[in-house]
Amino acid sequence: MLADAYATERSFLDRKITGQSFSVGLCYALLLGVCTGWLLSLGKVSFLLTLVVIAIAAVGSSETCCRLLFACFPFFNVMGADLGGTSMFYLLVFLYVLKATIDGSVAHARERYVALMLVFVFTVYNIGAGLTYAKWLIHLAVPLFVLGTVRLKENFSTYVRLLTVSLAISGFMGLMMMDRGIYLYTFGTVNTGVDITTRFSGLVGDAVVFGQVVALVVGVNAYLMYAGRAYRGAFPITLVLVFFAFLTYSKGALICLGIVGVFAFFGFVRKTVRDGLPVRYFIGGLLALAAAYLLATYMLSGSSLFSADALATRLDSSDLLTARREIWNAYFKLWDGTGLPMLFKGIGFDTYLNTTVYGRWHNCHNLYIEAVTLFGWITAVVMAIALVTHLVKMKQRGAAFFAFMPCILLLVSGIILHGFLDFPFFYEWTVALGCLEFAAERAGRRENEK
């Protein structure tokens, strides 16, 4: 299953340590130091180490900054508290955009800035939201200045490797923090009636969002394996991420993982029927099943942090949407009370953040409802049309159906999750759409070789 990837890469011992790889490796060591600082209650040390990471990005190239966007994102919350609630990730985005503009490594930079300026002009009524609005614009800059670039198409597998490895490392560090009662963001619990189990939320967001991010990364890795462009160790690291997803006890994450499983099963079966079954694929499949069995046995043994009772309690709910439908109905009533502005601009960021529905919630728990609530019907429909148009364009360029799976995961999970303000929705779409661009680029190269 993974042999094609091995064939495309040089031996580990034959690789050379470049200045860029050294910088990224050093940042990994620093990020581990940041996490350790939190574990030891040395917040000032963690803060100083984040400044060193920023310094490395500042003196590095735009490509180094871009790689750090993927390597550092899974540590999103661990880098934020001592920076006034502003994650170091925002500063890395700013440095990347600045350096990519200066060195000209991003094609059509002028058009990208014009697009960002137009978004600002048409959403400037949200300026009353202050820092929240600024962070939203910075998040938006990620897809605007990363998607459609040559570096993304050529280095996508490398970026996914950095993102996956970082998600696994940050997951382990998050488990250590949870064991010590350290929570850098919100956390949820599952009450089984016998005991209360804490839901794992990693270092990215709350448990549900962390589960969505994990499912997305697992899905992208599954596509790379299918395409024969996976990196070394992709499968075992992905299997670890699946374990983290189960620790969230998120129904949405489990549904997304189920979608990944369906795509992987039919995709690999179809590929086997079409191309035959190489012996290495057969051996890889057996090893994969053995690894999955051992992980499942470990999870159910009682020795791990996983609680089968907590998962059963979550899955036993008669209503998959729990209280979300009541929350949605409350926002529908809010639309009726808002009137004409719902057509053009919605209620705005500041009003949204100060709106309480269903007792204590100020979040829609639905990406589509949130889009209309924040931007109004016209803008929400325009965004939907733009997305569909882009997906159709990628299909026309030859992107494999399997490559659409990460986008499908985000569209499906968007039914129960919001993301425009609280969570890194734009970053996740950068990864999902980047997968499509990578697939379309591969299809174009194969067509040219014929």
Side-chain angles (χ1 to χ4, degrees):
M1 185 180 296
L2 304 177
D4 286 349
Y6 299 159
T8 61
E9 295 189 15
R10 294 175 296 173
S11 167
F12 176 78
L13 295 178
D14 290 334
R15 293 186 180 184
K16 296 181 179 179
I17 300 177
T18 63
Q20 183 171 266
S21 60
F22 177 77
S23 297
V24 175
L26 179 58
C27 285
Y28 269 117
L30 292 169
L31 290 171
L32 287 175
V34 172
C35 294
T36 303
W38 279 107
L39 287 169
L40 300 178
S41 300
L42 300 174
K44 292 183 179 180
V45 172
S46 295
F47 173 67
L48 291 175
L49 292 179
T50 59
L51 294 182
V52 178
V53 175
I54 294 172
I56 292 174
V59 300
S61 64
S62 63
E63 177 60 24
T64 298
C65 289
C66 188
R67 296 193 177 201
L68 289 179
L69 288 182
F70 290 87
C72 293
F73 175 76
F75 297 89
F76 190 88
N77 282 317
V78 81
M79 301 181 297
D82 280 339
L83 289 174
T86 302
S87 172
M88 184 180 70
F89 182 77
Y90 296 120
L91 301 178
L92 292 177
V93 174
F94 175 77
L95 288 172
Y96 165 70
V97 172
L98 179 64
K99 286 179 172 291
T101 302
I102 293 175
D103 65 18
S105 59
V106 176
H108 309 293
R110 180 179 301 175
E111 289 83 351
R112 296 173 192 266
Y113 274 108
V114 169
L116 183 60
M117 184 59 62
L118 288 175
V119 171
F120 173 74
V121 169
F122 284 104
T123 61
V124 70
Y125 57 87
N126 293 306
I127 200 168
L131 187 59
T132 297
Y133 180 50
K135 290 179 179 179
W136 179 78
L137 289 173
I138 295 174
H139 272 303
L140 181 61
V142 176
L144 279 179
F145 287 87
V146 174
L147 289 175
T149 61
V150 174
R151 60 164 44 101
L152 180 67
K153 299 171 185 178
E154 292 183 349
N155 302 320
F156 183 73
S157 180
T158 299
Y159 295 158
V160 173
R161 181 190 66 203
L162 293 172
L163 177 60
T164 308
V165 171
S166 291
L167 196 57
I169 295 175
S170 67
F172 281 116
M173 298 304 293
L175 287 176
M176 295 174 64
M177 292 183 187
M178 187 175 74
D179 183 60
R180 297 195 179 191
I182 300 173
Y183 302 100
L184 301 180
Y185 199 73
T186 61
F187 69 96
T189 58
V190 181
N191 190 343
T192 64
V194 178
D195 54 18
I196 298 177
T197 302
T198 301
R199 299 175 64 184
F200 184 48
S201 57
L203 301 177
V204 177
D206 68 7
V208 180
V209 175
F210 178 71
Q212 182 193 45
V213 172
V214 167
L216 171 67
V217 174
V218 170
V220 174
N221 277 281
Y223 165 72
L224 290 178
M225 294 181 207
Y226 168 81
R229 297 300 301 272
Y231 48 88
R232 287 181 174 88
F235 180 78
I237 299 176
T238 301
L239 201 60
V240 171
L241 297 186
V242 172
F243 170 68
F244 290 154
F246 272 90
L247 289 180
T248 66
Y249 306 103
S250 168
K251 300 174 188 176
L254 296 181
I255 291 173
C256 287
L257 288 178
I259 294 174
V260 174
V262 171
F263 267 83
F265 176 78
F266 286 102
F268 281 103
V269 167
R270 179 176 177 272
K271 187 174 183 179
T272 297
V273 172
R274 183 187 63 200
D275 303 331
L277 179 64
V279 174
R280 58 178 178 270
Y281 272 43
F282 179 73
I283 296 176
L286 290 179
L287 292 176
L289 289 175
Y293 172 77
L294 291 175
L295 180 60
T297 301
Y298 170 70
M299 291 172 62
L300 297 173
S301 66
S303 301
S304 70
L305 294 174
F306 176 71
S307 170
D309 291 337
L311 181 62
T313 300
R314 290 281 298 163
L315 298 179
D316 190 44
S317 173
S318 58
D319 179 10
L320 179 62
L321 300 178
T322 58
R324 282 178 170 83
R325 288 187 296 188
E326 285 80 2
I327 296 173
W328 301 343
N329 289 331
Y331 274 96
F332 295 153
K333 294 177 181 178
L334 178 64
W335 293 358
D336 293 336
T338 303
L340 190 61
M342 286 309 308
L343 182 63
F344 298 102
K345 68 180 185 67
I347 66 174
F349 291 4
D350 51 349
T351 303
Y352 176 70
L353 293 175
N354 291 289
T355 298
T356 300
V357 301
Y358 196 66
R360 63 188 179 92
W361 299 104
H362 71 273
N363 296 315
C364 293
H365 288 273
N366 183 300
L367 192 66
Y368 308 102
I369 296 176
E370 185 180 52
V372 176
T373 302
L374 290 176
F375 307 107
W377 277 103
I378 293 178
T379 303
V381 171
V382 170
M383 288 191 295
I385 293 175
L387 177 60
V388 172
T389 301
H390 185 72
L391 295 180
V392 172
K393 180 181 178 181
M394 291 295 102
K395 184 60 179 176
Q396 292 174 341
R397 288 179 54 188
F401 180 66
F402 203 133
F404 285 82
M405 181 255 293
C407 292
I408 293 175
L409 295 179
L410 293 181
L411 290 172
V412 171
S413 58
I415 297 175
I416 58 175
L417 286 175
H418 50 277
F420 280 107
L421 294 188
D422 292 324
F423 304 117
F425 173 75
F426 290 117
Y427 184 88
E428 293 181 59
W429 272 105
T430 303
V431 176
L433 293 176
C435 183
L436 272 181
E437 291 189 1
F438 176 75
E441 182 72 11
R442 291 188 70 243
R445 289 180 181 178
R446 288 197 301 267
E447 188 66 25
N448 294 332
E449 292 173 357
K450 291 182 180 179

